[in-house]
Amino acid sequence: MGSRKKQMADAIKEGKKQIAFAKLNNCPTSPRKMRLVADLVRGERVEKALNILKFSQKEASNRLEKLLLSAIANWQAKNEDASIEDAELVVKEIRVDGGSMLKRLRPAPQGRAHRIRKRSNHVTIVVGANNNTQS
């Protein structure tokens, strides 16, 4: 029983070595705006994704570019002997979840007030080595 458990744990550890992730919490951009940029790079190779983010006009692309570079650095820390070019890293998963909301009041006509919701989001990027060739 003990040897099987160890073999299984080693197999899981090897599988996790091929992927790395990075998180960005409480980013002060609405999730809807961030998802527009995230959809552009989902499933792309890392080099192409970095180019897309670098030349995108949206403000969210700067934050996502930094986060993608962090995920690449995390992958490199796990796999010190491997090179990024040989591994053909791919953006396996990119998830944008809603974060906390700051609620503010804005004065409105006739003594009323309108609620302003300043939204934030959480982004998670998972990069991994591409096993099959995909462009």
Side-chain angles (χ1 to χ4, degrees), residues 26-91:
N26 296 318
C27 178
T29 309
S30 75
R32 187 175 179 178
K33 291 178 184 176
M34 188 66 85
R35 280 188 196 109
L36 288 173
V37 181
D39 291 341
L40 293 175
V41 297
R42 184 175 287 120
E44 296 288 347
R45 289 187 32 235
V46 167
E47 297 86 11
K48 187 174 179 187
L50 283 172
N51 283 332
I52 290 171
L53 292 173
K54 186 173 184 176
F55 294 108
S56 175
Q57 295 288 320
K58 304 242 180 225
E59 182 191 343
S61 65
N62 295 333
R63 294 187 172 115
L64 273 185
E65 183 183 5
K66 243 177 125 171
L67 186 64
L68 182 56
L69 288 170
S70 174
I72 293 167
N74 292 343
W75 185 89
Q76 223 168 6
K78 275 186 179 181
N79 304 290
E80 292 164 349
D81 53 339
S83 71
I84 296 173
E85 291 81 21
D86 295 339
E88 292 184 8
L89 287 182
V90 173
V91 179

Side-chain angles (χ1 to χ4, degrees), residues 2 91 93 101 113 121 131:
V91 179
E93 184 181 342
M101 258 186 274
N121 64 56
N131 297 342

